[in-house]
Amino acid sequence: QGLQRKFAMMDEKKQALLDKMVKYNTGKIDKKQAGLAAKGIARKKVQKQILGDKVRYCISGGGFISQETIEFINGVGYNLYNGFGMTELGVTSVELSQDVNQRLKGSIGHPFHGVQYKIVPSDKNNPDHGELFVKSPAMHVREIIGGVEKDVELDKDGYFSTGDIAELDKEGCCYIKGRIKDIIVNADGENIFPDELEIFFQGLPHTTHLAVLGIAIPNTKYEEVDLILELDNTVSEKEIDEIKAEVKKIEPTLPHGVKIARIFIAKNKLPLANGIKVKRFMVKKAIEGGTNEYFELGAKKQTSSLEGVDKEVVAELLEPMREIFSRVLILPTYKIENDAHWINDLGGDSMSYVELINEIQDTFEVTLPEEVLGQLATLNDFVLEVAKLQSEAKKEQK
């Protein structure tokens, strides 16, 4: 994703060269049509911007891989071989074909000698789609779970349950679709794979990480499909609206007619596994538990703790005050909650606090009393104090 964004910023001539290179290396155009893009010198220049020109092949293993990733990596001249493995099993298969068209299919290949795959279908009408079970001579023999050592749990035929959903084609090649625990069952009873949906949103601007989740619909056994975004701190309110509009444009292209019910923005960094993959179960648990770690786009903004202040006064002060907090902290306004603490929640310090005080005093033409400085720590605190000072000033004028 980072590379594609980087290449998207290049001039049109370089972008056209890269586009031809990808098409040539994935068999979509011939050498004559590719021209300079088919030459080794062009490939070396592009590869120096990525992994260097010494890398001969790349391997992806153990999970779902998007078609976009397969085409891009193979397209810039690195042969990408997709496989499957687990800590409990070791590596059990790799698509080893020298034919790029075969590798582009995204298969994990056939199981290695001595390894056996079988699909346990959840739908009798689709016997080639279901959970992948593996039998292997390299399988682990004991487990320690919760401090208790025990035998490995296998089915009656000695196969190990991987927890992955897979599919077999007519040639017996296997394709990983996603993890069982991540499958979303919507109101139509369809199984939806988050990995397949997340690909469609990878190009959203200002997005550092994202996740598609199934969030429980109250009083039903079904889930709605929600999109969770982690945005960088340079994003503006206008750009957030543009991101929302872009999601709506993408929606009609999603498989199975999927609709995004809600969009959430993470106020802090999303939890990651190995610094790469979003821990969906943690985000799901937090949202279903009613946490305030995630801000729902379009939801009514919090106005608590401002009772007793005229609504018109609040309307005049609240958003301009939020903008000041945002500028001083260099944070987007959606992260500035009404009751978020300057230091504990927003990461401010004493130096930036002085800057905040000066900006508030200049903007609202008030002088904050010294005895309250340091005690005012939230947006609500400052709104209440400024409202009080402005009210006192009006009384004096009368």
Side-chain angles (χ1 to χ4, degrees):
Q1 294 164 37
L3 289 167
Q4 287 174 327
R5 291 191 193 108
K6 181 177 180 180
F7 288 131
M9 295 172 69
M10 297 189 306
D11 61 56
E12 290 183 11
K13 190 175 179 181
K14 288 181 179 177
Q15 284 189 46
L17 180 71
L18 179 67
D19 185 54
K20 282 186 177 181
M21 183 182 296
V22 170
K23 287 179 178 176
Y24 171 69
N25 286 325
T26 53
K28 294 182 175 65
I29 60 175
D30 60 30
K31 194 170 185 177
K32 185 177 179 182
Q33 290 170 310
L36 177 63
K39 296 186 180 297
I41 188 170
R43 186 181 69 249
K44 282 190 175 186
K45 281 193 173 184
V46 170
Q47 289 185 346
K48 280 181 180 179
Q49 303 297 315
I50 311 175
L51 301 174
D53 59 1
K54 302 298 182 188
V55 174
R56 289 292 169 265
Y57 59 87
C58 301
I59 301 172
S60 173
F64 175 83
I65 183 170
S66 74
Q67 189 64 34
E68 187 179 27
T69 300
I70 294 172
E71 293 204 3
F72 185 78
I73 300 300
N74 278 288
V76 293
Y78 300 122
N79 290 349
L80 176 60
Y81 296 93
N82 189 31
F84 184 80
M86 295 180 70
T87 303
E88 296 90 340
L89 301 167
V91 180
T92 57
S93 68
V94 179
E95 176 52 76
L96 294 169
S97 176
Q98 295 294 309
D99 180 1
V100 68
N101 293 311
Q102 181 62 29
R103 295 201 307 274
L104 290 177
K105 291 179 182 179
S107 159
I108 59 170
H110 294 85
F112 291 152
H113 178 74
V115 178
Q116 298 174 62
Y117 284 174
K118 75 173 178 179
I119 301 292
V120 177
S122 54
D123 181 356
K124 292 180 181 178
N125 297 320
N126 192 358
D128 293 326
H129 182 99
E131 185 180 357
L132 176 65
F133 278 65
V134 179
K135 183 190 260 187
S136 170
M139 194 185 306
H140 72 301
V141 294
R142 298 283 284 170
E143 297 177 340
I144 300 175
I145 299 176
V148 179
E149 186 179 341
K150 59 179 220 173
D151 290 329
V152 179
E153 291 184 14
L154 306 173
D155 73 0
K156 61 183 178 63
D157 298 316
Y159 282 79
F160 179 75
S161 163
T162 66
D164 286 292
I165 293 293
E167 194 169 74
L168 291 175
D169 65 13
K170 293 177 183 178
E171 287 75 41
C173 288
C174 191
Y175 300 81
I176 300 297
K177 296 296 181 179
R179 297 287 293 167
I180 287 177
K181 65 182 181 182
D182 291 332
I183 291 175
I184 302 167
V185 182
N186 68 6
D188 295 328
E190 282 189 287
N191 286 346
I192 296 167
F193 301 101
D195 284 312
E196 291 183 338
L197 297 183
E198 288 176 0
I199 300 158
F200 289 83
F201 301 105
Q202 298 291 7
L204 290 175
H206 293 285
T207 303
T208 52
H209 292 98
L210 64 85
V212 170
L213 298 178
I215 301 298
I217 300 172
N219 305 315
T220 75
K221 61 181 181 179
Y222 302 113
E223 298 174 316
E224 66 180 24
V225 181
D226 290 343
L227 176 64
I228 321 299
L229 303 175
E230 179 192 308
L231 304 178
D232 63 41
N233 287 337
T234 65
V235 68
S236 66
E237 286 288 333
K238 182 183 177 184
E239 287 168 325
I240 289 175
D241 290 338
E242 290 170 356
I243 290 171
K244 186 177 180 181
E246 186 63 26
V247 170
K248 290 301 174 187
K249 284 183 186 176
I250 293 170
E251 222 175 25
T253 68
L254 298 178
H256 312 298
V258 171
K259 298 289 183 186
I260 300 297
R262 294 182 293 174
I263 303 171
F264 288 90
I265 298 178
K267 294 174 185 173
N268 300 301
K269 291 187 179 297
L270 286 170
L272 302 177
N274 301 319
I276 300 172
K277 189 83 172 170
V278 175
K279 295 180 179 178
R280 293 194 188 105
F281 71 96
M282 289 181 66
V283 180
K284 175 182 170 71
K285 184 178 178 182
I287 291 175
E288 290 181 344
T291 180
N292 65 352
E293 296 173 46
Y294 301 92
F295 167 75
E296 181 188 347
L297 283 188
K300 191 175 179 182
K301 283 189 177 178
Q302 172 189 354
T303 57
S304 62
S305 304
L306 288 172
E307 289 80 5
V309 181
D310 186 279
K311 287 184 179 179
E312 290 185 9
V313 173
V314 171
E316 289 176 4
L317 296 176
L318 194 58
E319 294 315 312
M321 192 78 75
R322 201 185 308 275
E323 290 286 347
I324 293 173
F325 270 62
S326 173
R327 284 197 303 274
V328 174
L329 290 165
I330 317 176
L331 287 175
T333 53
Y334 74 84
K335 289 192 176 183
I336 316 295
E337 288 192 303
N338 290 10
D339 59 356
H341 192 278
W342 178 259
I343 296 173
N344 299 340
D345 299 319
L346 300 175
D349 56 29
S350 57
M351 292 298 292
S352 54
Y353 189 77
V354 172
E355 185 182 349
L356 176 75
I357 297 299
N358 290 334
E359 282 225 31
I360 289 173
Q361 291 185 149
D362 290 344
T363 302
F364 299 105
E365 298 180 342
V366 296
T367 301
L368 296 167
E370 285 190 24
E371 60 268 20
V372 302
L373 300 182
Q375 295 178 22
L376 306 176
T378 69
L379 191 63
N380 281 343
D381 291 343
F382 281 98
V383 168
L384 287 168
E385 186 63 30
V386 170
K388 184 178 110 179
L389 293 171
Q390 287 182 342
S391 175
E392 289 173 354
K394 285 179 182 177
K395 286 178 183 177
E396 288 179 8
Q397 288 174 0
K398 291 181 180 179

